[in-house]
Amino acid sequence: MSLLEGITGPRDLDDLSPKQLVELAAEIREFLVREVSKTGGHLGPNLGVVELTIAMHKVFDSPNDAIIFDTGHQSYVHKLLTGRQDFSRLREEGGLAGYPQRSESPHDIVESSHASSSLSWADGISRAFTMTGQGDRHVVAVVGDGALTGGMTWEALNNISDDNSRNLVIVVNDNGRSYAPTIGGMAHFLNDVRTRRSYRSLYSTSRKVFDKFGAPGRALYRGIRGGTHGFLARLTNNEALYSNLDIKYLGPVHGHDIRALTEAFEQAKNYGAPVIVHAITEKGRGYQPALLDTADQFHAVGQIDPETGEPIEVASKPSWTSVFSDEIVHLAEANPRLVGITAAMLRPTGLHKFAERFPDRVLDVGIAEQHAVASAAGLAFGGLHPVVAMYATFVNRAFDQVLMDVALHKAGVTFVLDRAGVTGPDGPSHHGMWDLAILQVVPDIRIAAPRDATRLREELGEAVAIDDGPTVLRFSKGSVGTEFDAVRRTDDGVDVLREAPHKDVLIVTVGPMAKLGLQVAERLAAQGIGATVVDPRWVVPVPPSIIELSAEHRLVVTIEDGVRVGGIGTRIRQDLRAANVDTAVNELGLPDQFLAHGSREFILDQVGLTPQAIARDVVAQVLGSKIPVARPLPAEENASRLT
């Protein structure tokens, strides 16, 4: 049995010798490469925290001591050490989540996995432990260095430093990268510590002393290592930075030396006040393909060949992101006012090509969505047209800035929201299902949802031409869908995709749900129910022709991949009532629930967004309410064809 197979919980680490811990680290890396290459997942970040996680679990007593990851994608090793070693269905329905998940283990505390929030959690938990007489319990927050670019981190540090009576350890996992290389002043500061020759040479010397003399040299090693860190603290102003916060600083510590990490954690544990442990790690450690990938060091991969790191399957169709990536460059070449902004996700959002073509016109502000949006309002005031590209789930964090800084000031800012709707394997914190409901309450906002690549290019061009308020373009994760040409386009830009000679049901689809709407219409037609299918293209505000078409039909069915509470269907129903149109409306979308991880197809099936389920419900409503149709329904037994 391997060492890893013998680990059923963190306390099994107590029985392993220092040599065995090093062997365990090697086994974990082999496991991660072998298993994650089959399923896909966050490989690079986890390869970089193997020793750090081993040392942390050896010193601290989880779950009695609360361990929080920021962000949670670096928790795979934590899962392995807490008894979860079946990675065969990682991020698939029924398998392990790609982030901490309370339902999996009491060792998992925070599930949200949005960066920069862990220190606020840690502040609250540690205060609660103190206030409830649990002063012997520790809180450990593992913060990726990219999280230090987020404003919440510094708000939390300000409050943590206000009370030194708590057992709180902040582990800065400093690999120089958030997704891609970390940017900003804090990144420059940490990079200065990480790259100074004095740190590298003195650490190497102290390590050699310990290795040569073994246990008898431990005291000497500690003295040299302590001197190294103290010298570097003075040399790089660590002391000034952290002493002003009134937080003890330990480091920098070699993030792949289990003995050094263990000693640093022991010191931090016994200090009795907030401590920062600065660990320098290497993303993708031990896996050559990841180290050669300078773009993101295998931050997140699909299925790959474990030997070469090459993708096993190459997408046959371009992704939504790649279509946007090419088109924004095309538009920027013709319009010098266009600038790009992203929050530590230059490549994932597709802005990297824009940055390569026009490096002075693309800004990466770090994991700081609120700052990105407010800064965009300033750029618009200065005469530019910013395009803010982020994942749909992350725009939630900047709602106040969208509302008060952009919309209130009628700033011409375009938001491009990638991974909108059901994203699949990353789970509840990453589904982009709230943007439509949240953003449509912003006065004078305009929201577009392209159904295919052609419409994405078209609507992006329309969006960046609007300079008197915010515009939004949202699209899904993965490959673009089938191209659906319109039968006709109305004067206000609505695409009619299918028109029946008899007008029974109007199906209004949002973005890529056009395919589903057309499939439903075919099933209804087989039952003698005439269905018109439209794609509004711009779903907010509701185009007048949607109101007119609704008045001509007997039932309206809206289909969206956003939460249906306050969604586009609700907006259409309200606008129909305001126009005194009494056509009934079926609002179909996602439930107001946190949806688990799984494939997009599986999740849509679970929530009833399938051709079969929708057509059956429409037929039942028509029959049950006796809504008249333009021609008689076929024999009732024919309804069985829908099943």
Side-chain angles (χ1 to χ4, degrees), residues 23 50 63 65 69 94 107 110 119 141 151 188 352 381-382 447 478 514 582 602 611 615 625 636 641:
E23 293 172 358
V50 176
D65 293 331
F69 289 89
H107 295 277
V110 178
L119 296 191
H188 296 318
H352 60 292
F381 176 78
I447 304 177
D582 61 359
F602 173 81
S625 62
E636 186 173 340
R641 293 166 60 185

Side-chain angles (χ1 to χ4, degrees), residues 230-265:
F231 168 72
L232 280 170
R234 291 188 295 274
L235 188 66
T236 60
N237 290 324
N238 290 9
E239 205 166 46
L241 174 66
Y242 294 110
S243 64
N244 285 341
L245 291 171
D246 199 20
I247 299 177
K248 176 71 173 178
Y249 172 85
L250 297 176
V253 183
H254 194 306
H256 301 291
D257 185 326
I258 295 176
R259 284 179 291 188
L261 287 164
T262 300
E263 291 178 1
F265 288 150

Side-chain angles (χ1 to χ4, degrees), residues 290-313:
L291 299 179
L292 294 174
D293 178 21
T294 57
D296 68 4
Q297 291 184 264
F298 280 40
H299 178 84
V301 298
Q303 292 181 321
I304 60 173
D305 182 325
E307 297 298 324
T308 66
E310 292 296 322
I312 291 178
E313 294 184 7

Side-chain angles (χ1 to χ4, degrees), residues 297-358:
Q297 291 184 264
F298 280 40
H299 178 84
V301 298
Q303 292 181 321
I304 60 173
D305 182 325
E307 297 298 324
T308 66
E310 292 296 322
I312 291 178
E313 294 184 7
V314 179
S316 57
K317 294 181 179 179
S319 67
W320 290 96
T321 307
S322 67
V323 174
F324 162 71
S325 185
D326 291 335
E327 187 61 19
I328 191 64
V329 173
H330 172 72
L331 293 171
E333 287 172 340
N335 183 356
R337 295 178 56 243
L338 287 186
V339 294
I341 305 178
T342 189
M345 304 199 94
L346 189 70
R347 185 169 293 272
T349 61
L351 278 183
H352 60 292
K353 290 185 178 180
F354 190 177
E356 291 164 2
R357 179 70 177 85
F358 299 105

Side-chain angles (χ1 to χ4, degrees), residues 18-91:
K19 181 180 178 181
Q20 287 176 313
L21 291 175
V22 173
E23 293 172 358
L24 175 63
E27 286 185 16
I28 289 175
R29 283 199 170 84
E30 291 175 3
F31 177 95
L32 290 174
V33 172
R34 181 178 69 250
E35 296 299 321
V36 178
S37 67
K38 299 174 185 176
T39 62
H42 290 91
L43 181 57
N46 286 283
L47 292 173
V49 297
V50 176
E51 291 85 2
L52 187 152
T53 309
I54 290 173
M56 183 170 59
H57 272 297
K58 184 170 176 58
V59 173
F60 295 98
D61 183 24
S62 175
N64 184 62
D65 293 331
I67 297 177
I68 305 165
F69 289 89
D70 189 345
T71 64
H73 64 238
Q74 58 185 330
S75 63
Y76 292 8
V77 185
H78 163 77
K79 288 176 184 269
L80 290 174
L81 298 180
T82 53
R84 289 167 281 174
Q85 297 181 12
D86 181 3
F87 274 45
S88 61
R89 302 187 66 187
L90 178 67
R91 306 194 315 148

